[in-house]
Amino acid sequence: EAARIVFHSGVKLTMVGMDPVRKGTFSEAQLLKLQASGKKAAQAVASIILPTLARNRANGIDRPRMLPDPMAIAAFLDPSLFTMVKVFVDVETRGELTSGMTVAYRAAPVRRSAPSLGEPDGSFMISETFVPNCTAAADVDLPRFLELTMALLLK
């Protein structure tokens, strides 16, 4: 509910959602470099991500650990790392399985979902015209992001 209030508040917002975050993470070689660096922040990052990579590998999972917080910081430090798009974002507050998820519209019409069976018709047009309320990162230049993040952690 709080996120929904923020997105509808009219303040200037930049959002880094899961699309760019799912692009990837540090390589094992980069993590070992962080671990061996002698820098506490770098070692902390390695100590968090390396065990996850090992556990995933042991379970046959080839999925990187995502880096949402560093990507949000990077979007603030260097927005050129990202492909930004103007969107209208709303937050699901009633979904049984999706509560808290954001939904981004890139064009009009913006409308609510049809109601579930037995529920009153809550489906209505939010807007027939496109009025963005947010700038969102749609993609990331992953090599540049990782280069910046490594440089900052090893500084």
Side-chain angles (χ1 to χ4, degrees):
E1 287 83 6
R4 188 160 199 260
I5 291 168
V6 171
F7 278 103
H8 287 272
S9 71
V11 300
K12 183 178 176 184
L13 295 172
T14 300
M15 175 182 152
V16 179
M18 296 308 291
D19 291 337
V21 170
R22 286 189 180 105
K23 288 282 187 170
T25 189
F26 296 111
S27 67
E28 190 168 6
Q30 288 170 316
L31 291 167
L32 292 174
K33 184 176 181 177
L34 293 175
Q35 187 179 50
S37 71
K39 303 289 185 177
K40 289 185 180 191
Q43 291 172 332
V45 169
S47 72
I48 292 167
I49 300 175
L50 279 169
T52 303
L53 290 178
R55 187 171 46 253
N56 285 353
R57 190 176 298 123
N59 291 320
I61 300 169
D62 185 25
R63 181 177 58 217
R65 166 107 186 203
M66 295 184 283
L67 302 170
D69 295 335
M71 279 204 187
I73 293 166
F76 174 76
L77 295 174
D78 185 358
S80 76
L81 295 170
F82 298 85
T83 302
M84 298 293 200
V85 294
K86 295 286 188 185
V87 291
F88 174 82
V89 175
D90 208 343
V91 180
E92 176 60 57
T93 58
R94 294 181 37 198
E96 183 177 319
L97 301 174
T98 59
S99 189
M101 292 182 78
T102 56
V103 179
Y105 296 87
R106 291 187 184 194
V110 177
R111 64 179 79 228
R112 298 216 183 279
S113 297
S116 299
L117 291 175
E119 297 228 352
D121 187 1
S123 176
F124 62 92
M125 186 77 61
I126 295 173
S127 175
E128 291 187 24
T129 58
F130 179 69
V131 181
N133 64 353
C134 179
T135 301
D139 199 4
V140 63
D141 182 335
L142 187 63
R144 285 183 54 224
F145 161 75
L146 291 172
E147 181 182 323
L148 171 68
T149 306
M150 289 290 292
L152 290 172
L153 287 169
L154 294 171
K155 191 173 183 177

